């Protein structure tokens, strides 16, 4: 059966950075109820959907980039929030998302290999973006959540996570030297270079990392312990038999469909429509007589712009380098925008099988928090189906009718799942409270004016407030 994965975006835990001017107790109320909403929603989807893997696509915190580290002291408004506060926020995130996953892992009677929560991809609210990223802030995030650049094999698919908020510093002017490059390479790295260079080095070797990860997975699927103790044997690869055995053990050219995970969406031309599932700005109506959606719709699109510590889309050069360096990308999942957006990048080739290129499909996932500007938060459910033989080639034989339907639809299927509209629930509570108070007030005024209320003296004399009872006296005979 296909594996079920979840893409969760922008939990962006509410903190003092979210609503800096909101007074107490409204600020405390907001923090409590957003956490409660996230905890209940996440617990419910774990119980009902039982996903094999959960991916967070960045912006775990709202003000994570602003909290000081031991080596970097902030000034101004956020100076009082330091390393201890960030650790408290990390613990808060873990209580909401990690604790429930650990309970399921401990109580599950099935093999738990592959069941994981991957939250290492940073967002601009976690680190900043471009040259605004501070190395010590990124080091802290990596130390607790893991490296933001990684390769994972899940459901016979290769997931490549790239820290694009750091990569965005490439080409930007260094804040200290005003340079845009690494110079001649014979001097110490600039502050900007220290931000983007590790990501660039990861991209330079990611194709090899993909093949190594697929080889490990195939060894496991073939019954070998890919992570166990290796035999310390010397093989003479000039011997034809040994070379053939080594090649069969490690299929070096095997490839799985590649999925790119990035916090910042790929570049697209301004006005590229996001589709009918976008909540905040649905598609504009086409002119009369036109049956197809608009090709250019600024209202429905992600705005191509940036500002202080944010950038709505990556630059064209960085987007192209990502697709080229990773290779064979068939699907992209991104975040940052808080609302759903689905586009096809027709300028990129997604197929490595020789078929006609159809472009790369990118889905920007909704935020799962009701405090992020969308009335109906949500998450993306992915179904992965890619049966392979012992050397990693897709197999089509001996499939059930359900398996054939998955095969024809591709190896990846997605479904947008919506969560309750918490703001509407609060509005209904408020309206009911106002209605109740108004009803009681009208009743009180009417009773006082007409004299027919429950506190009228005549009414009170006729109908007592409390019932009157009389205990019957029972005579008792004495025993003779």
């Amino acid at each position: 059966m296909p594996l079920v994965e979840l893409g969760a975006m922008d939990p962006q835990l509410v903190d003092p950075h979210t609503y800096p001017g909101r007074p107490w107790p409204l600020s405390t109320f907001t923090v409590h109820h957003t956490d409660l909403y996230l905890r209940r929603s996440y617990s419910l989807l774990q119980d009902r959907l039982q996903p094999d893997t959960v991916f967070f696509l960045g912006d775990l915190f709202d003000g994570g980039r602003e909290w000081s580290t031991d080596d970097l002291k902030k000034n101004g408004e956020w100076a009082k929030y330091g390393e201890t506060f960030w650790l408290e926020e990390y613990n808060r995130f873990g209580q909401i998302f990690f604790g429930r996953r650990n309970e399921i892992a401990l109580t599950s009677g099935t093999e738990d290999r592959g069941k994981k929560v991957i939250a290492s991809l940073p967002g601009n609210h976690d680190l900043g973006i471009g040259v605004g990223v501070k190395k010590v802030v990124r080091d802290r995030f990596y130390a607790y959540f893991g490296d933001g650049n990684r390769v994972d094999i899940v459901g016979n698919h290769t997931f490549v996570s790239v820290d694009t908020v750091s990569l965005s510093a490439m080409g930007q002017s260094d804040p200290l030297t005003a340079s845009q490059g690494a110079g001649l390479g014979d001097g110490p790295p600039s502050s900007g270079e220290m931000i983007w260079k590790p990501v660039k080095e990861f991209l330079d070797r990611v194709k090899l990392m993909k093949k190594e990860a697929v080889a490990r997975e195939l060894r496991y699927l073939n019954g070998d312990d890919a992570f166990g103790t290796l035999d310390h044997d010397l093989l003479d690869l000039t011997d034809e038999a040994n070379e053939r055995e080594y090649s069969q053990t490690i299929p070096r050219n095997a490839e799985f469909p590649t999925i790119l995970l990035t916090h910042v969406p790929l570049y697209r031309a301004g006005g590229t429509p996001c589709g009918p599932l976008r909540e905040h700005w649905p598609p504009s109506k086409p002119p009369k007589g036109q049956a197809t959606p608009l090709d250019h719709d600024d209202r429905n699109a992600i705005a191509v712009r940036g500002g202080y510590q944010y950038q709505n889309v990556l630059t064209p050069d960085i987007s192209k380098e990502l697709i080229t360096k990773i290779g064979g990308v068939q699907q992209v999942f991104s975040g940052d925008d808080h609302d759903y957006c689905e586009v096809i990048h027709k300028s990129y080739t997604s197929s490595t099988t020789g078929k006609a290129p159809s472009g790369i499909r990118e889905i920007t996932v909704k935020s799962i928090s009701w405090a992020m500007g969308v009335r109906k938060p949500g998450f993306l459910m992915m179904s992965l189906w890619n049966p392979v033989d012992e050397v990693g080639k897709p197999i089509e034989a001996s499939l059930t009718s359900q398996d054939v339907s998955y095969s024809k639809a591709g190896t990846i299927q997605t479904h947008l799942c919506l969560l309750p509209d918490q703001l509407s629930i609060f509005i209904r509570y408020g309206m009911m409270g106002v209605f109740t108070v108004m009803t009681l007030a009208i009743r009180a005024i009417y009773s006082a004016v007409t004299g027919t209320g429950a506190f009228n003296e005549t009414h009170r004399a006729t109908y007592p407030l409390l019932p009157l009872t009389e205990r019957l006296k029972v005579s008792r005979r004495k025993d003779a």
Side-chain angles (χ1 to χ4, degrees):
M1 290 297 293
L3 288 181
V4 176
E5 322 297 327
L6 295 182
M9 185 52 225
D10 278 4
Q12 212 160 316
L13 300 187
V14 174
D15 53 37
H17 181 267
T18 312
Y19 305 108
R22 183 164 292 187
W24 184 90
L26 188 58
S27 57
T28 304
F29 175 88
T30 305
V31 170
H32 172 74
H33 278 279
T34 52
D35 284 8
L36 184 63
Y37 182 91
L38 290 171
R39 185 179 295 109
R40 287 180 174 177
S41 299
Y42 188 74
S43 178
L44 182 63
L45 67 88
Q46 287 284 355
D47 290 337
R48 298 290 179 86
L49 300 178
Q50 298 181 358
D52 298 278
T53 306
V54 178
F55 291 95
F56 286 89
L57 301 180
D59 277 358
L60 311 184
F61 310 111
D62 187 73
R65 65 178 182 238
E66 304 294 349
W67 315 140
S68 300
T69 69
D70 291 337
D71 300 322
L72 176 66
K73 301 302 181 182
K74 294 277 186 172
N75 297 319
E77 187 176 2
W78 315 116
K80 60 181 179 180
Y81 300 103
E83 186 81 8
T84 302
F85 185 82
W86 190 93
L87 291 174
E88 292 173 354
E89 294 295 282
Y90 172 78
N91 182 59
R92 179 179 156 207
F93 182 90
Q95 289 177 347
I96 295 174
F97 298 107
F98 294 156
R100 180 59 181 158
R101 189 63 179 171
N102 293 336
E103 291 176 14
I104 294 175
L106 292 174
T107 57
S108 174
T110 60
E111 182 186 6
D112 217 31
R113 181 184 182 271
K115 288 184 175 292
K116 60 185 75 172
V117 177
I118 300 176
S120 59
L121 189 68
N124 59 301
H125 280 266
D126 301 314
L127 306 184
I129 191 167
V131 294
V133 176
K134 304 300 181 184
K135 186 175 182 299
V136 289
V137 174
R138 186 178 65 184
D139 291 345
R140 175 178 63 186
F141 186 90
Y142 281 10
Y144 285 88
F145 288 101
D147 197 327
N149 307 291
R150 57 185 291 163
V151 176
D152 295 280
I153 303 296
V154 179
N156 293 346
H157 288 73
T158 304
F159 285 80
V160 179
S161 303
V162 181
D163 177 7
T164 49
V165 294
S166 296
L167 185 63
S168 296
M170 188 168 60
Q172 295 183 356
S173 297
D174 188 280
L176 299 180
T177 64
S179 65
Q180 294 184 342
L184 299 176
D186 54 356
S190 64
S191 60
E193 183 184 356
M194 289 189 293
I195 297 302
W196 61 259
K197 190 172 183 179
V199 190
K200 181 69 163 54
E201 292 173 346
F202 168 79
L203 291 176
D204 290 338
R205 65 179 189 275
V206 69
K207 287 185 178 179
L208 177 60
M209 295 175 65
K210 286 169 53 181
K211 292 183 178 180
E212 292 175 346
V214 171
R216 286 196 301 269
E217 183 70 10
L218 290 175
R219 285 201 299 268
Y220 176 85
L221 295 176
N222 291 332
D224 298 332
D225 187 359
F227 302 98
T229 304
L230 300 177
D231 295 333
H232 294 272
D233 294 334
L234 295 177
L235 295 178
D236 182 6
L237 295 184
T238 59
D239 186 337
E240 215 174 286
N242 288 338
E243 199 279 334
R244 184 167 58 253
E245 179 183 357
Y246 181 77
S247 299
Q248 291 175 352
T249 304
I250 306 177
R252 289 167 287 182
N253 295 322
E255 287 272 0
F256 287 160
T258 300
I259 299 172
L260 169 62
L261 304 181
T262 167
H263 177 72
V264 185
L266 298 181
Y267 177 80
R268 74 286 312 271
T272 303
C274 285
L277 296 180
R278 191 164 176 81
E279 173 192 335
H280 194 59
W281 298 111
S284 302
K285 292 183 179 180
K288 187 176 181 180
Q290 180 177 331
T292 58
L294 297 175
D295 293 330
H296 185 95
D297 189 354
D298 289 321
R299 180 174 181 269
N300 183 240
I302 294 178
V304 182
R305 62 169 179 257
Y308 172 73
Q309 293 288 37
Y310 83 92
Q311 184 176 311
N312 289 344
V313 296
L314 296 172
T315 64
D317 291 340
I318 289 179
S319 300
K320 184 178 180 180
E321 181 163 6
L322 280 174
I323 300 302
T324 304
K325 291 282 189 179
I326 296 173
V329 177
Q330 296 191 10
Q331 178 81 51
V332 179
F333 294 111
S334 58
D336 184 67
D337 186 67
H338 298 174
D339 204 351
Y340 187 88
C341 182
E342 183 173 348
V343 299
I344 301 293
H345 297 280
K346 296 182 179 180
S347 58
Y348 301 125
T349 301
S350 62
S351 177
T352 57
T353 60
K355 299 180 182 179
S358 57
I360 297 178
R361 180 179 178 227
E362 177 180 0
I363 293 179
T364 301
V365 185
K366 293 193 79 168
S367 172
I368 61 173
S369 172
W370 64 269
M372 293 298 113
V374 287
R375 294 290 292 269
K376 292 183 179 180
F379 59 92
L380 193 72
M381 183 169 65
M382 293 177 282
S383 181
L384 305 180
W385 177 242
N386 183 35
V388 297
D389 60 16
E390 63 274 5
V391 295
K393 294 181 179 180
I395 56 177
E396 298 291 342
S398 303
L399 298 180
T400 65
S401 58
Q402 182 181 9
D403 295 338
V404 171
S405 66
Y406 276 107
S407 179
K408 290 181 178 178
T411 64
I412 308 167
Q413 294 188 38
T414 63
H415 182 76
L416 173 62
C417 302
L418 298 179
L419 297 173
D421 184 351
Q422 184 65 47
L423 191 57
S424 292
I425 295 174
F426 286 148
I427 292 174
R428 291 174 185 174
Y429 281 151
M431 292 175 62
M432 184 58 67
V434 172
F435 176 77
T436 302
V437 171
M438 290 181 62
T439 302
L440 294 176
I442 292 172
R443 172 62 177 168
I445 294 172
Y446 177 80
S447 300
V449 172
T450 62
T452 58
F455 298 99
N456 181 268
E457 292 295 333
T458 304
H459 184 79
R460 182 182 299 177
T462 306
Y463 301 99
L465 294 177
L466 296 176
L468 298 178
T469 60
E470 181 179 357
R471 181 177 297 177
L472 297 177
K473 296 181 180 180
V474 181
S475 59
R476 297 181 180 179
R477 295 178 59 186
K478 294 182 178 179
D479 294 335

